[in-house]
Amino acid sequence: MEKKVCLECQEPIKGRIDKKFCSDYCRNTYNNSVAKDSKNLVRNINNRLKKNYKILSELNTTGKTKVSRTKLYDKGFDFQLFTSIYQTKTGNTYFYVYDEGYLALENDWFLLIKKEM
């Protein structure tokens, strides 16, 4: 009979015939390392979205606020990341990070708004 070894640490496995790991620690370590790159990508994007959300909510305390592009850039706002887009009938395009949104105005100004839930 062939001895089975743990996929993570290569130690002999005792117990059920279909076991792949010698312990919960090895199983968790193995599974965390398998999808590490895709998990890191998602984690990084979520962190950048959270940062954008925090910036918008800190600047927009009244529900509607005008701010300049430089103020957003200075705080580290990333205009490439948002969660949704809303196009009005008049052709205005609002970009949202969850319930915090912004609309580009003239001369590098932005209208910050909060969507009522």
Side-chain angles (χ1 to χ4, degrees), residues 35-47:
K36 185 178 180 181
D37 292 337
S38 65
K39 286 180 183 177
N40 281 340
L41 174 68
V42 171
R43 183 182 306 116
N44 290 338
I45 290 172
N46 281 337
N47 286 338

Side-chain angles (χ1 to χ4, degrees), residues 53-65:
Y53 183 82
K54 182 180 176 190
I55 291 167
L56 290 175
S57 58
E58 284 175 356
L59 292 174
N60 186 14
T61 57
T62 62
K64 271 191 180 181
T65 309

Side-chain angles (χ1 to χ4, degrees), residues 41-104:
L41 174 68
V42 171
R43 183 182 306 116
N44 290 338
I45 290 172
N46 281 337
N47 286 338
R48 289 167 55 198
L49 281 169
K50 285 178 192 175
K51 183 177 181 180
N52 274 1
Y53 183 82
K54 182 180 176 190
I55 291 167
L56 290 175
S57 58
E58 284 175 356
L59 292 174
N60 186 14
T61 57
T62 62
K64 271 191 180 181
T65 309
K66 277 178 79 172
V67 295
S68 66
R69 179 182 295 272
T70 25
K71 192 164 196 169
L72 289 168
Y73 270 134
D74 289 347
K75 297 230 178 233
F77 191 80
D78 185 351
F79 286 94
Q80 300 297 314
L81 289 174
F82 46 86
T83 56
S84 64
I85 299 174
Y86 175 70
Q87 183 109 22
T88 64
K89 292 178 184 174
T90 58
N92 292 329
T93 303
Y94 289 86
F95 296 90
Y96 282 94
V97 180
Y98 306 112
D99 64 337
E100 295 284 346
Y102 60 94
L103 169 68

